[in-house]
Amino acid sequence: SQTIHQWPATLVQPVGSPLSLECTVEGTSNPNLYWYRQAAGRGLQLLFYSVGIGQISSEVPQNLSASRPQDRQFILSSKKLLLSDSGFYLCAWGRMREQFFGPGTRLTVL
Amino acid sequence: GIQVEQSPPDLILQEGANSTLRCNFSDSVNNLQWFHQNPWGQLINLFYIPSGTKQNGRLSATTVATERYSLLYISSSQTTDSGVYFCAVPLTGANNLFFGTGTRLTVIP
């Protein structure tokens, strides 16, 4: 069966510091991978998606970036965090037309 | 772009009661998913239901694609059903999902 992992689970970072969130998927090959962000009390917003290694599409202009160095690894990064980057970050993988989500990373930028 | 509206935005139920959650979407879609986000933030897949009716235990869902809506039925609600329920439909390309604003369900004992 397929499993999706995210770490860390929670993170508190100062404004201006770098960020690296990691997502890995097990039990499937060549999945579509996605990063979403959820602000407190709101719905999910798609940030990035990837259909293969090195292939990244950005949905929202921002100071975040994504990379896919391996088939089942998806990384969300920032060089300098902003207060507005606080939120709940969810990674997902896609099969056919379904998506399945990881446990999320709760990021607080102070 | 596509609009996805969910109603009601908030719902409070006594344990054991039944409820119906609605998802309306503005454009034709070939995919619709229902999710439950539990109090810890985990998004749990409930149904992948582009059309027709599916049932899973106390939950069932119906999508009428031609009329652009989907319904999620919860019967005999339990406190563990509390959380936020989202419907999501695809945007163009790579099966990206666009999420509705959600229905926050609170089941009280």
Side-chain angles (χ1 to χ4, degrees):
Chain A
S1 64
Q2 297 82 13
T3 309
I4 181 168
H5 303 279
Q6 285 186 247
W7 62 90
T10 60
L11 191 59
V12 180
Q13 292 284 94
V15 169
S17 63
L19 173 73
S20 181
L21 303 181
E22 188 163 346
C23 170
T24 59
V25 182
E26 296 177 356
T28 186
S29 59
N30 196 31
N32 290 343
L33 295 174
Y34 307 86
W35 278 111
Y36 290 85
R37 177 170 60 199
Q38 185 178 33
R42 302 182 67 179
L44 278 76
Q45 179 187 43
L46 179 66
L47 301 176
F48 300 95
Y49 68 92
S50 171
V51 299
I53 296 173
Q55 301 179 62
I56 309 294
S57 296
S58 173
E59 291 294 307
V60 181
Q62 59 216 331
N63 72 321
L64 299 172
S65 61
S67 61
R68 186 170 178 175
Q70 299 180 45
D71 181 45
R72 289 170 288 178
Q73 183 185 31
F74 205 23
I75 298 172
L76 183 69
S77 304
S78 173
K79 293 182 179 178
K80 289 186 178 182
L81 283 169
L82 306 173
L83 287 173
S84 58
D85 291 325
S86 292
F88 190 49
Y89 289 81
L90 288 149
C91 179
W93 71 275
R95 176 183 68 192
M96 301 298 287
R97 294 192 173 94
E98 278 188 277
Q99 290 187 22
F100 301 86
F101 286 79
T105 295
R106 201 165 298 279
L107 172 65
T108 303
V109 183
L110 301 175
Chain B
I2 191 168
Q3 302 293 319
V4 181
E5 296 180 354
Q6 292 188 242
S7 59
D10 294 280
L11 184 60
I12 300 175
L13 295 176
Q14 198 76 39
E15 196 170 24
N18 303 329
S19 63
T20 301
L21 282 57
R22 187 177 181 103
C23 172
N24 292 332
F25 40 95
S26 58
D27 296 336
S28 297
V29 298
N30 57 13
N31 173 20
L32 186 142
Q33 288 187 252
W34 281 99
F35 297 90
H36 173 215
Q37 188 169 37
N38 65 24
W40 296 271
Q42 176 75 52
L43 267 174
I44 300 164
N45 290 53
L46 297 178
F47 294 101
Y48 165 66
I49 183 165
S51 64
T53 297
K54 290 186 177 179
Q55 182 158 6
N56 185 2
R58 297 180 295 104
L59 274 61
S60 64
T62 296
T63 296
V64 184
T66 53
E67 297 186 20
R68 302 181 183 174
Y69 73 88
S70 183
L71 302 174
L72 178 69
Y73 306 94
I74 304 174
S75 64
S76 304
S77 58
Q78 301 176 358
T79 56
T80 51
D81 294 332
S82 295
V84 183
Y85 289 80
F86 290 102
C87 64
V89 297
L91 298 177
T92 54
N95 302 316
N96 306 329
L97 290 179
F98 184 83
F99 281 74
T101 51
T103 292
R104 182 174 299 276
L105 174 65
T106 304
V107 181
I108 52 179

